Amino acid sequence: MSSDDSTLRAIPAVPLTLEGHAVLHQMFRVRRDAWRALDANARTEMISQARSVLDQIGRFENGESAAFQGLGHKGELTIVHFRRTFDEIGAAQNAIARLKIHDYLEQTTSYLSVIEIGLYEASLEIYRKLADGGLSNGSDEWRAAISSELGSLRAKMASRLFPRIPARRYLCFYPMDKKREGADNWYRMPIADRRRLMQEHGTVGRRYAGEVTQIISGSIGFDDYEWAVDLFADDPLVFKRLVYEMRFDEASAGYARFGPFYFGIRLGADGLEQIFAV
Amino acid sequence: MSSDDSTLRAIPAVPLTLEGHAVLHQMFRVRRDAWRALDANARTEMISQARSVLDQIGRFENGESAAFQGLGHKGELTIVHFRRTFDEIGAAQNAIARLKIHDYLEQTTSYLSVIEIGLYEASLEIYRKLADGGLSNGSDEWRAAISSELGSLRAKMASRLFPRIPARRYLCFYPMDKKREGADNWYRMPIADRRRLMQEHGTVGRRYAGEVTQIISGSIGFDDYEWAVDLFADDPLVFKRLVYEMRFDEASAGYARFGPFYFGIRLGADGLEQIFAV
Amino acid sequence: MSSDDSTLRAIPAVPLTLEGHAVLHQMFRVRRDAWRALDANARTEMISQARSVLDQIGRFENGESAAFQGLGHKGELTIVHFRRTFDEIGAAQNAIARLKIHDYLEQTTSYLSVIEIGLYEASLEIYRKLADGGLSNGSDEWRAAISSELGSLRAKMASRLFPRIPARRYLCFYPMDKKREGADNWYRMPIADRRRLMQEHGTVGRRYAGEVTQIISGSIGFDDYEWAVDLFADDPLVFKRLVYEMRFDEASAGYARFGPFYFGIRLGADGLEQIFAV
Amino acid sequence: MSSDDSTLRAIPAVPLTLEGHAVLHQMFRVRRDAWRALDANARTEMISQARSVLDQIGRFENGESAAFQGLGHKGELTIVHFRRTFDEIGAAQNAIARLKIHDYLEQTTSYLSVIEIGLYEASLEIYRKLADGGLSNGSDEWRAAISSELGSLRAKMASRLFPRIPARRYLCFYPMDKKREGADNWYRMPIADRRRLMQEHGTVGRRYAGEVTQIISGSIGFDDYEWAVDLFADDPLVFKRLVYEMRFDEASAGYARFGPFYFGIRLGADGLEQIFAV
Amino acid sequence: MSSDDSTLRAIPAVPLTLEGHAVLHQMFRVRRDAWRALDANARTEMISQARSVLDQIGRFENGESAAFQGLGHKGELTIVHFRRTFDEIGAAQNAIARLKIHDYLEQTTSYLSVIEIGLYEASLEIYRKLADGGLSNGSDEWRAAISSELGSLRAKMASRLFPRIPARRYLCFYPMDKKREGADNWYRMPIADRRRLMQEHGTVGRRYAGEVTQIISGSIGFDDYEWAVDLFADDPLVFKRLVYEMRFDEASAGYARFGPFYFGIRLGADGLEQIFAV
């Protein structure tokens, strides 16, 4: 316990969060031998259908989809969907599966999450205010107050919760956990200490603000890691610099467990043609 | 040893449990290229057969089955079976395998377990009562008394042991273990301490009682993890909130090891049609 | 070092073991789409051939084979072979591979081991007797004496070393290791301490003697884990109770590392028909 | 903290790096049954097309590609691409995928990275110079100064950043991480200590300078490990000697986590013919 | 540090090694459904070709190849190649791939290594002699002296470095690492302590000398583990006894990390016929 604030012991360990778009990442390999066996007209038609559907679902009012060229065996086509609801994610998945070109794809992996803003700063302020106001943690009054605070934060942060897919050329995507290994157990650390580490971590991120658009999504309860990170940049080397620098933050050095990394190049107008050319 | 109760040292380390429905989760991917190659009539007929069998086995007196749309590469169709016996689970598995549409499915994974109510509270009371009554742990009298206590608890809790599949829209499913790693070894902890941690853990769960229906099943001896958790809710974000909040409980923070997470959307009347539409 | 017996330091760390039947577990999935494409006569004939071969190899004087319905994606058909020699296991594998129905199976996994009786009790007695008799560990006299002791034990325990496959309805199978992780290193523990832990462990097992038939096989040098456990019972819930209770033994709590678990239902007269019905 | 230099506490933990060629390793198995089913003319033509494209893309001004025979199940064909940009890597991937012979390949794995020169020595000098000059870490002046220093280093090291693929006969390739496990956490170590360990590590490498050409690439943000190592030599036993000797360096002994290893033999003029002969 | 020899601190940590045959293990499953679909003549011819090629490459002056029946899903055919060079291993791989029967095999895994004699004893003697002679570690004189010492040892041990494949009936194969986990870090241990542990380890091995032929190969730089072990015996139970006894050596108990284990039965004259019979 590095905190000597007695209030702290009475407040929740879990930080408040805000949730936005549901997100699905789909990674596909092209089954190129079957694809090449098709006649050229069939191929052209299927690409054309795929492009038109991608364009269409890429412009939904309630979210959008974007396609990337993946590099390597994890799959040369990555599709990212942002949607208002998980039901709409299900519908987007169905729309992709119904594409004729889908018969020539093999889904290698995917990731399901929901855009999340973690509120370590605000949580401690709110928790302390409520505790100082005499509300007891978990009571109906407490919960109503929290709900109301979250409501106003949600309204203020709507554009960050329900963003467009950033219009940058390169994508870096990876899921991650906070460790619970021996002495390095994030979930046993006092919330004030976690807040401090997340602040430091955020400081590094902000240094890259102009170069990288970062979208954090939460996947506890939805997929195999706890969080997922999407980085969008116009210079791919920035991904390495940012993630390397962050790795020395105590939040990462001591507590991050990283999943696989995926790299993508945003498909331009003729991107599908390039990937599917034989 | 955090307990100074000398009786404790004489009582069993293993908590009593009650068992109910046998449970099988089946996750399937659609082999869509072969499916699309069928003519439309054949597809309609197979969907129709599948729906009729699912409806039928979904209403068994001895349990039921329910189908969900899965999101992502783990499979777009999840079927959950609750049955009175493992033999009936075997029969349900056969029934699904005999569906014509099954030729167009690929089973990606599955999970076998049995609904379990863990009785940490009752165990300690019963163990102490028997020990105070002079019975010795493991003797025939001890075992008969335990058996009789379990009998009455089983009768009282029958509806929780043999429930319907909750009629909520979203499913979150994951298996988990209790850790035995270095200093964090659940199975070396005194039963009274485990009871306390499970109480705290239960407190969080109960806070979500109105929003989430939670069904715990045990899989020691049946599948690769020790327990499985099914959460059913009408708001999918509640899964994240509940599981995140619980992760800070000492029972989870210190001792839980989580397996993969699966998310599903309950299939409505035309759910199969939606998934299998081409 | 918890032992103050100076003899102990001179005696071997490895306990004596007796070996019996070689054992192969084979897990298969049915390739049901190809199977269903066959005409009904061909299917009937293949099932009939399979049943007749299984019956035949199930009655070998030198061992036997038994088939189980597996539940879940690990495969709906499990075949267990007990044989006098590894060569006969090779022949049994060939016999299964030559079945016509084998073309419609996909082997998902397997496990190779040999029935083993661990002799912690006897080992210490024998080792001490030899040491007290002035024989030195590893000398020719020592080895001859050990060999002769094992010879008589082997004769006495022949029926446990070369058993029938127990005629109970349910099978629970899993491989396991003893841990060598940090402070929890089974192989660094003095043999007398290991003996004590194995005694405690055996005590739990014996409590279930009437309900479960347990067969331990050793797989060091043969397969990926060190041991394999087959439990046979008429009530499948007993598997969970037994394995759960054992997990609190120090031998399991502190030192066991478990592999995957497999559950099977013994095939009755029409078992193959049930599994392969379309 | 093994450093008593107070300046050290003010300087960044992350060492400076220079980046050169983007690199993609592609590992393929030959689908030999389908390949053999082709008629001999078709095979000759496809090999001929493949050779001509490999020759062509092997000579790009902006990088090159080279093919190797892999040994074992990881795939008998390995192609390594060096390119100025990730977009060109994407184009190289497309070029390989468009080869007719690609229909007879199965990509088993791949690795994406960028040639990196780690500047532990220079970093500390530069950081200290800037700190002594009164610049504060992360300020605009600091960043401009760093950028200018990197610019001159990049110019000086251009040939190491954008090298040819070394013309040696054997390839050893493996990815690796620096550990963050318990007390062995590379990212929590002061930069001066890491510098010292990297110096020692480099000393071993330099001893093999005449026998091995080593190319380090960074993959943080691009692929699943943090770095990748390509060793090129004319005597394959040198790989074992070098990597074994390095494993005793504190940098490797204490902090390296190795991924899979790949071994290749550079394809000569008739190399493709040899691999694809039936 | 358990050594008080000040010379020790000046001598290398890495023990000297001698290298002999390059070794490739190939594990194959039979694609039996496609195989059975062939007509009997075609099958006979392919077996005959395979046998003749195996016989031929089994008798190379520069090494040989041998085939084994594998048990279980890892594959029913194992082929082991010993060759003078890695290029010849590449040629042997090509020869197997060109067999017509290869179209009916699926390679499940493989392992690449080179026969190695570890010289812990000799290393310390040589290192000390050189150090006492005033040579400094790593100098040209030092390296020349080492090279000359290795030269004479290599000549003396030629038959162990370039052996025949032992003509025993059973094969046990497994790869392994030395651990670098927390306090159990082989590579941080002083060389004199490692030597002592390897001596103890060797003592156990020598006790089985008449019953088991053991061939150690090194795979650092070639494959995913650091070493591989081939045991050949006429009694398969000896594998279990030897490996079990060794597991209690401090070298294994504390520092070994084992990979998968493979078991094989040497194919006799009609071995291929037995495996491929339908």
Side-chain angles (χ1 to χ4, degrees):
Chain A
M1 283 272 179
S2 64
S3 168
D4 54 0
D5 183 344
S6 72
T7 306
L8 261 183
R9 286 190 291 272
I11 68 175
V14 58
L16 299 168
T17 58
L18 294 172
E19 282 77 26
H21 273 139
V23 180
L24 180 66
H25 288 72
Q26 298 183 296
M27 286 73 169
F28 298 98
R29 274 201 211 189
V30 179
R31 292 176 48 221
R32 208 165 290 267
D33 51 341
W35 173 251
R36 202 194 303 268
L38 290 174
D39 72 54
N41 284 344
R43 289 194 306 248
T44 307
E45 219 174 276
M46 289 186 193
I47 290 176
S48 175
Q49 185 208 26
R51 196 168 44 188
S52 125
V53 169
L54 279 173
D55 281 356
Q56 207 181 328
I57 70 180
R59 292 203 207 97
F60 267 2
E61 280 192 14
N62 295 326
E64 61 185 339
S65 301
F68 299 81
Q69 181 188 20
L71 296 188
H73 72 291
K74 293 168 183 171
E76 56 262 64
L77 181 63
T78 297
I79 307 182
V80 181
H81 305 281
F82 283 13
R83 289 293 184 281
R84 285 270 163 182
T85 66
F86 282 88
D87 292 79
E88 286 169 275
I89 289 287
Q93 173 175 286
N94 284 339
I96 297 297
R98 284 169 200 161
L99 292 176
K100 283 195 185 143
I101 215 170
H102 185 275
D103 284 2
Y104 303 91
L105 298 177
E106 178 201 344
Q107 192 166 7
T108 57
T109 189
S110 67
Y111 205 82
L112 181 66
S113 55
V114 63
I115 290 180
E116 174 184 304
I117 299 179
L119 300 166
Y120 266 102
E121 289 302 309
S123 298
L124 272 172
E125 281 172 32
I126 295 172
Y127 290 159
R128 280 175 172 149
K129 190 173 69 181
L130 300 191
D132 291 350
L135 296 195
S136 102
N137 173 7
S139 65
D140 286 352
E141 293 79 6
W142 176 284
R143 298 179 76 174
I146 294 284
S147 174
S148 139
E149 297 274 4
L150 286 177
S152 26
L153 286 166
R154 193 175 292 119
K156 265 191 256 172
M157 294 182 174
S159 66
R160 281 177 58 204
L161 292 170
F162 300 97
R164 306 287 310 263
I165 296 180
R168 293 183 183 262
R169 185 162 175 77
Y170 303 99
L171 166 69
C172 167
F173 171 73
Y174 59 95
M176 59 169 295
D177 279 341
K178 290 298 191 192
K179 276 195 206 170
R180 295 175 294 114
E181 294 175 8
D184 295 331
N185 191 319
W186 180 257
Y187 292 91
R188 277 175 169 160
M189 202 189 296
I191 188 169
D193 294 355
R194 279 180 277 128
R195 181 192 50 174
R196 183 175 45 76
L197 296 188
M198 292 308 289
Q199 272 177 327
E200 282 173 30
H201 189 67
T203 304
V204 177
R206 274 189 294 281
R207 234 181 268 152
Y208 289 82
E211 296 166 280
V212 180
T213 311
Q214 177 178 290
I215 293 181
I216 304 295
S217 50
S219 44
I220 291 183
F222 302 126
D223 216 319
D224 300 354
Y225 287 80
E226 297 172 344
W227 287 276
V229 178
D230 281 284
L231 305 176
F232 299 86
D234 293 319
D235 174 359
L237 295 181
V238 172
F239 296 148
K240 184 159 86 81
R241 263 178 237 138
L242 168 58
V243 182
Y244 193 25
E245 184 165 350
M246 279 190 167
R247 199 145 296 185
F248 291 93
D249 288 341
E250 178 59 11
S252 298
Y255 299 99
R257 196 172 68 89
F258 296 99
F261 281 74
Y262 301 89
F263 178 83
I265 305 176
R266 186 101 182 216
L267 289 190
D270 71 340
L272 282 180
E273 277 80 359
Q274 288 301 317
I275 290 180
F276 285 94
V278 296
Chain B
M1 282 271 179
S2 64
S3 168
D4 55 1
D5 182 345
S6 72
T7 305
L8 259 184
R9 285 191 292 272
I11 67 174
V14 58
L16 299 168
T17 58
L18 294 172
E19 283 76 27
H21 273 139
V23 180
L24 179 65
H25 287 74
Q26 298 183 295
M27 285 72 170
F28 298 98
R29 275 201 210 189
V30 180
R31 292 175 48 220
R32 208 165 290 270
D33 50 342
W35 173 251
R36 202 194 302 267
L38 291 174
D39 72 54
N41 285 345
R43 289 194 306 248
T44 307
E45 222 173 276
M46 289 187 194
I47 289 177
S48 175
Q49 185 208 24
R51 196 168 44 188
S52 124
V53 170
L54 279 173
D55 281 358
Q56 208 180 326
I57 69 179
R59 292 202 208 97
F60 267 3
E61 280 191 13
N62 295 326
E64 62 185 340
S65 300
F68 299 81
Q69 180 189 20
L71 298 188
H73 72 291
K74 293 168 183 171
E76 55 262 64
L77 180 63
T78 296
I79 307 182
V80 182
H81 305 281
F82 282 14
R83 289 293 184 282
R84 286 269 163 181
T85 66
F86 282 89
D87 292 78
E88 287 170 275
I89 289 287
Q93 174 175 286
N94 284 338
I96 297 297
R98 284 169 200 160
L99 292 177
K100 284 197 185 139
I101 215 171
H102 185 274
D103 284 2
Y104 303 91
L105 298 176
E106 178 202 344
Q107 192 166 6
T108 57
T109 190
S110 68
Y111 206 82
L112 181 65
S113 55
V114 62
I115 291 181
E116 175 185 303
I117 299 180
L119 299 167
Y120 266 102
E121 290 301 310
S123 299
L124 271 172
E125 283 172 31
I126 295 172
Y127 290 159
R128 280 175 172 150
K129 190 172 68 180
L130 300 189
D132 292 350
L135 297 195
S136 103
N137 172 6
S139 65
D140 286 353
E141 294 79 6
W142 175 284
R143 298 179 76 173
I146 294 285
S147 174
S148 141
E149 297 275 4
L150 286 178
S152 25
L153 286 166
R154 193 176 291 119
K156 264 191 257 174
M157 293 182 173
S159 65
R160 281 177 58 203
L161 292 169
F162 300 97
R164 305 288 311 265
I165 295 179
R168 292 182 182 264
R169 185 162 176 78
Y170 303 99
L171 167 69
C172 166
F173 171 73
Y174 59 96
M176 59 168 295
D177 278 341
K178 291 296 191 193
K179 276 194 204 170
R180 295 175 294 115
E181 294 175 8
D184 295 331
N185 191 319
W186 181 257
Y187 291 91
R188 276 175 171 160
M189 202 190 295
I191 188 170
D193 294 354
R194 279 180 276 127
R195 181 192 52 175
R196 183 175 45 75
L197 296 188
M198 291 308 289
Q199 273 177 327
E200 282 173 32
H201 190 66
T203 305
V204 177
R206 274 189 294 282
R207 233 181 268 151
Y208 288 83
E211 296 167 278
V212 179
T213 310
Q214 176 178 291
I215 293 182
I216 305 295
S217 50
S219 45
I220 292 182
F222 302 126
D223 216 320
D224 300 353
Y225 287 80
E226 297 173 343
W227 286 275
V229 179
D230 281 284
L231 305 176
F232 299 87
D234 293 319
D235 175 0
L237 296 181
V238 172
F239 296 148
K240 184 159 86 81
R241 264 178 236 136
L242 168 58
V243 182
Y244 193 25
E245 184 165 350
M246 280 191 167
R247 199 145 295 185
F248 291 93
D249 288 341
E250 178 59 12
S252 298
Y255 299 99
R257 195 172 68 89
F258 296 99
F261 280 74
Y262 301 90
F263 178 83
I265 305 176
R266 186 100 182 215
L267 289 190
D270 70 340
L272 283 180
E273 276 80 358
Q274 288 301 316
I275 290 180
F276 285 95
V278 296
Chain C
M1 282 271 178
S2 63
S3 167
D4 54 1
D5 182 344
S6 73
T7 305
L8 260 183
R9 286 191 290 273
I11 67 175
V14 58
L16 299 168
T17 58
L18 293 172
E19 283 76 26
H21 273 138
V23 179
L24 180 66
H25 288 74
Q26 298 183 295
M27 285 72 170
F28 298 99
R29 275 200 209 190
V30 180
R31 293 175 47 220
R32 208 166 289 270
D33 50 342
W35 173 251
R36 202 194 301 267
L38 291 174
D39 72 54
N41 285 345
R43 289 193 307 247
T44 307
E45 220 173 277
M46 289 187 194
I47 290 177
S48 173
Q49 183 207 25
R51 196 167 45 187
S52 127
V53 169
L54 279 174
D55 281 357
Q56 208 181 326
I57 69 179
R59 291 200 209 100
F60 267 2
E61 280 191 13
N62 294 326
E64 61 184 342
S65 300
F68 299 81
Q69 180 188 19
L71 297 188
H73 72 291
K74 293 167 184 171
E76 56 262 63
L77 181 63
T78 296
I79 307 183
V80 181
H81 306 281
F82 283 15
R83 289 293 185 284
R84 285 270 162 180
T85 66
F86 282 89
D87 292 78
E88 287 169 275
I89 289 287
Q93 173 175 287
N94 284 339
I96 298 297
R98 285 169 200 160
L99 292 176
K100 284 196 184 140
I101 215 171
H102 184 275
D103 284 3
Y104 302 92
L105 298 177
E106 179 202 343
Q107 191 166 5
T108 57
T109 189
S110 67
Y111 206 82
L112 181 66
S113 55
V114 62
I115 291 182
E116 175 184 304
I117 299 181
L119 298 167
Y120 266 103
E121 290 301 310
S123 298
L124 272 173
E125 283 173 31
I126 295 173
Y127 289 159
R128 279 174 174 153
K129 191 172 69 181
L130 300 189
D132 291 351
L135 297 194
S136 102
N137 174 5
S139 64
D140 286 352
E141 293 79 7
W142 176 284
R143 298 180 76 173
I146 294 283
S147 174
S148 142
E149 297 273 5
L150 286 178
S152 26
L153 286 165
R154 193 176 291 117
K156 265 192 257 174
M157 294 184 172
S159 65
R160 281 177 58 203
L161 292 169
F162 300 97
R164 305 287 312 265
I165 296 180
R168 293 183 181 264
R169 186 162 175 79
Y170 303 99
L171 167 69
C172 167
F173 171 73
Y174 59 96
M176 58 169 294
D177 278 341
K178 291 296 191 193
K179 275 194 205 170
R180 295 176 293 114
E181 294 174 8
D184 295 331
N185 191 319
W186 181 257
Y187 292 91
R188 276 175 171 160
M189 203 190 296
I191 187 170
D193 294 354
R194 279 181 276 127
R195 181 192 51 175
R196 184 174 46 76
L197 296 188
M198 291 309 288
Q199 272 178 327
E200 281 173 30
H201 189 67
T203 305
V204 177
R206 275 190 293 282
R207 233 181 269 151
Y208 288 82
E211 296 167 279
V212 179
T213 310
Q214 177 177 290
I215 293 182
I216 304 295
S217 50
S219 45
I220 292 182
F222 303 126
D223 216 321
D224 300 353
Y225 287 80
E226 298 173 343
W227 286 277
V229 179
D230 281 283
L231 305 176
F232 299 87
D234 292 320
D235 175 0
L237 295 181
V238 172
F239 296 147
K240 184 159 86 80
R241 265 179 236 136
L242 168 58
V243 182
Y244 192 24
E245 184 165 350
M246 279 190 168
R247 199 145 296 184
F248 291 93
D249 289 341
E250 178 59 11
S252 299
Y255 299 98
R257 196 172 68 89
F258 296 100
F261 280 73
Y262 301 89
F263 178 83
I265 305 176
R266 186 100 182 218
L267 289 190
D270 71 339
L272 283 180
E273 277 80 358
Q274 289 299 317
I275 290 180
F276 285 95
V278 297
Chain D
M1 284 270 178
S2 64
S3 168
D4 54 359
D5 183 342
S6 73
T7 305
L8 261 183
R9 287 190 291 272
I11 68 176
V14 57
L16 299 168
T17 58
L18 294 172
E19 283 76 27
H21 273 139
V23 180
L24 179 66
H25 287 73
Q26 298 184 295
M27 285 74 169
F28 298 98
R29 276 202 210 188
V30 180
R31 293 175 47 221
R32 209 166 288 268
D33 50 341
W35 174 250
R36 203 195 300 268
L38 291 174
D39 71 54
N41 285 344
R43 289 194 306 247
T44 306
E45 218 174 278
M46 289 186 193
I47 290 176
S48 174
Q49 184 208 25
R51 196 168 45 188
S52 124
V53 169
L54 279 173
D55 281 357
Q56 208 181 328
I57 69 180
R59 290 201 210 101
F60 267 1
E61 280 190 15
N62 294 327
E64 61 184 339
S65 300
F68 299 82
Q69 181 188 18
L71 297 188
H73 72 290
K74 294 168 184 170
E76 55 262 64
L77 181 62
T78 296
I79 306 181
V80 180
H81 305 280
F82 282 14
R83 289 293 184 282
R84 285 270 163 181
T85 66
F86 282 89
D87 293 77
E88 286 169 275
I89 289 287
Q93 173 175 286
N94 283 339
I96 297 297
R98 283 168 201 162
L99 292 177
K100 283 194 186 145
I101 214 171
H102 185 275
D103 284 3
Y104 303 91
L105 298 177
E106 178 201 344
Q107 192 166 5
T108 57
T109 190
S110 67
Y111 205 82
L112 181 65
S113 55
V114 63
I115 290 180
E116 174 184 304
I117 299 180
L119 300 167
Y120 266 103
E121 289 302 309
S123 298
L124 271 173
E125 282 172 31
I126 295 173
Y127 290 159
R128 279 174 174 151
K129 191 173 69 181
L130 301 190
D132 291 350
L135 297 195
S136 102
N137 173 5
S139 65
D140 286 351
E141 294 79 5
W142 176 284
R143 299 180 77 173
I146 294 283
S147 174
S148 140
E149 297 274 3
L150 285 178
S152 25
L153 286 166
R154 194 176 291 119
K156 267 191 256 173
M157 294 182 173
S159 66
R160 281 177 60 203
L161 293 170
F162 300 97
R164 305 287 310 262
I165 296 180
R168 293 183 183 261
R169 185 161 176 78
Y170 303 99
L171 166 69
C172 166
F173 171 73
Y174 59 95
M176 59 169 294
D177 278 342
K178 290 297 191 194
K179 278 195 206 168
R180 295 176 293 115
E181 295 175 8
D184 295 331
N185 191 320
W186 180 258
Y187 292 91
R188 277 176 171 160
M189 201 189 297
I191 187 169
D193 294 354
R194 279 181 276 129
R195 181 193 50 176
R196 184 175 44 76
L197 296 187
M198 291 309 288
Q199 271 178 326
E200 281 172 31
H201 189 67
T203 304
V204 177
R206 274 190 294 280
R207 234 181 268 151
Y208 288 82
E211 296 167 277
V212 180
T213 311
Q214 176 178 291
I215 294 181
I216 305 296
S217 50
S219 44
I220 291 183
F222 303 126
D223 215 320
D224 301 353
Y225 287 80
E226 298 172 343
W227 286 277
V229 179
D230 280 285
L231 305 176
F232 299 86
D234 293 319
D235 174 0
L237 296 181
V238 172
F239 295 148
K240 184 159 86 78
R241 264 177 237 138
L242 168 58
V243 182
Y244 193 25
E245 183 165 349
M246 279 190 167
R247 200 145 296 184
F248 291 93
D249 289 341
E250 177 59 11
S252 298
Y255 299 99
R257 195 171 69 89
F258 296 100
F261 281 74
Y262 301 88
F263 178 83
I265 305 176
R266 186 98 181 219
L267 288 190
D270 70 340
L272 282 180
E273 277 80 359
Q274 288 301 317
I275 290 180
F276 285 95
V278 297
Chain E
M1 282 271 178
S2 64
S3 168
D4 54 0
D5 183 344
S6 73
T7 306
L8 260 183
R9 286 191 291 272
I11 68 176
V14 57
L16 299 168
T17 58
L18 294 172
E19 283 76 28
H21 273 139
V23 180
L24 179 65
H25 288 73
Q26 297 184 295
M27 285 73 170
F28 298 99
R29 275 201 209 190
V30 180
R31 293 176 46 220
R32 209 166 288 269
D33 50 342
W35 173 251
R36 203 195 301 267
L38 292 174
D39 71 55
N41 285 344
R43 289 194 307 248
T44 307
E45 219 173 278
M46 288 186 193
I47 290 177
S48 175
Q49 184 208 25
R51 196 167 45 188
S52 125
V53 169
L54 280 173
D55 281 357
Q56 209 181 326
I57 69 179
R59 291 200 209 101
F60 268 1
E61 280 190 15
N62 294 327
E64 61 185 340
S65 301
F68 299 81
Q69 181 188 18
L71 297 188
H73 72 291
K74 293 168 184 170
E76 55 262 63
L77 181 63
T78 296
I79 306 182
V80 181
H81 305 281
F82 283 14
R83 288 294 184 283
R84 285 271 163 180
T85 66
F86 282 89
D87 292 79
E88 287 170 274
I89 289 287
Q93 173 175 287
N94 283 340
I96 298 297
R98 285 169 200 160
L99 292 177
K100 283 194 184 144
I101 214 171
H102 184 275
D103 284 2
Y104 303 91
L105 298 177
E106 178 202 344
Q107 191 165 7
T108 57
T109 189
S110 68
Y111 205 82
L112 181 66
S113 55
V114 63
I115 290 182
E116 174 184 304
I117 299 181
L119 299 166
Y120 266 102
E121 290 302 308
S123 299
L124 272 173
E125 283 173 31
I126 295 172
Y127 290 159
R128 279 173 175 153
K129 191 173 69 180
L130 301 189
D132 291 351
L135 297 195
S136 102
N137 175 4
S139 64
D140 286 351
E141 294 79 5
W142 176 284
R143 298 180 77 173
I146 294 282
S147 174
S148 142
E149 297 274 4
L150 285 178
S152 26
L153 286 166
R154 193 176 292 118
K156 265 191 256 174
M157 294 183 173
S159 65
R160 282 177 60 203
L161 292 170
F162 300 97
R164 305 286 311 264
I165 296 180
R168 293 182 182 265
R169 186 162 175 78
Y170 303 99
L171 166 69
C172 167
F173 171 73
Y174 58 95
M176 58 169 294
D177 278 341
K178 291 296 190 193
K179 275 195 206 169
R180 295 176 294 114
E181 295 175 9
D184 295 331
N185 192 320
W186 180 258
Y187 292 91
R188 276 175 171 160
M189 203 189 297
I191 186 170
D193 294 354
R194 279 180 278 128
R195 181 192 51 175
R196 184 175 45 76
L197 296 188
M198 291 309 288
Q199 271 177 327
E200 281 173 31
H201 190 67
T203 305
V204 177
R206 274 190 293 282
R207 233 181 268 152
Y208 288 82
E211 297 167 278
V212 180
T213 310
Q214 177 177 290
I215 293 181
I216 304 295
S217 50
S219 44
I220 291 183
F222 303 126
D223 216 321
D224 301 352
Y225 287 80
E226 298 172 342
W227 287 277
V229 179
D230 280 284
L231 305 176
F232 299 87
D234 292 319
D235 174 0
L237 295 181
V238 171
F239 295 147
K240 185 159 86 80
R241 265 179 235 135
L242 168 58
V243 183
Y244 192 24
E245 184 166 348
M246 279 190 168
R247 200 145 297 183
F248 291 93
D249 289 342
E250 178 59 12
S252 299
Y255 299 99
R257 195 172 68 88
F258 296 100
F261 281 73
Y262 301 89
F263 178 83
I265 305 176
R266 185 100 180 217
L267 288 190
D270 70 340
L272 283 180
E273 276 80 358
Q274 288 300 317
I275 290 180
F276 285 95
V278 296

